Amino acid sequence: VIQAVFFGICVLTDLSSLLTRGNDSQEQERQLKKLISLRDWMMAVLAFPVGVFVVTMFWSIYIYDREMVYPKLLDNFIPAWLNHGMHTTVLPFVLIEMRTTHHQYPSRSCGLAAVCTFAVGYILWMCWIHHVTGVWVYPLLEHLSPGVKIIFFAAATIIINVFYLVGEVLNNYIWDTQK
């Protein structure tokens, strides 16, 4: 969903930019700048770190023991192309976006705070679903003791923050903003 919303905003930004080109309306220019800021924030805080996290975690666990993250039973309901759409294509598309469009990252402290807020919110959401249904969203969590779950959630939060920093460094490298 994050990727779909993000790339929808990218398309909207590109279309708005094309449609307002040559137009001297300050209001349209102001609205376009807001849209570009939203696009850049979403790339920095959500699309890149969450996308890279999903691809790396999913396929790492899948290779180790697919039943922990994507039980074989799901193959009967979710076609392989949709699985790859959710867990594979995210990475090349987000890298292509980073290479083709310069994104202005927020200050590091604001960016990391936003990434942490998202990670903690997602973890709380997973715990709430488990509390209500008695089933963990990801089968892997059924195999972890409560203490190990806390360590796993903390490690996941740290990893997603590292991916935020990697995205910032990669964006600066690609667009040579340090020179």
Side-chain angles (χ1 to χ4, degrees), residues 29-134:
E29 188 65 30
R30 191 175 67 76
Q31 295 298 328
L32 180 59
K33 284 182 181 180
K34 281 184 185 178
L35 200 53
I36 290 169
S37 293
L38 175 62
R39 178 203 65 196
D40 290 351
W41 184 88
M42 279 198 71
M43 174 64 165
V45 172
L46 295 174
F48 187 85
V50 173
V52 174
F53 181 83
V54 165
V55 171
T56 10
M57 290 299 289
F58 177 84
W59 288 110
S60 297
I61 297 169
Y62 187 97
I63 289 167
Y64 176 73
D65 181 358
R66 84 169 276 180
E67 293 297 316
M68 290 184 158
V69 72
Y70 195 80
K72 216 172 191 45
L73 171 72
L74 292 177
D75 291 343
N76 297 325
F77 308 101
I78 301 173
W81 66 266
L82 186 54
N83 179 29
H84 284 290
M86 293 184 296
H87 300 112
T88 308
T89 60
V90 170
L91 185 59
F93 286 144
V94 82
L95 289 173
I96 289 167
E97 171 64 20
M98 184 172 277
R99 179 62 186 99
T100 58
T101 306
H102 176 257
H103 295 277
Q104 187 67 42
Y105 269 60
S107 72
R108 187 167 286 169
S109 58
C110 287
L112 289 172
V115 170
C116 280
T117 301
F118 172 81
V120 169
Y122 190 77
I123 290 166
L124 291 174
W125 179 247
M126 287 189 304
C127 291
W128 175 254
I129 290 171
H130 177 262
H131 173 74
V132 171
T133 67

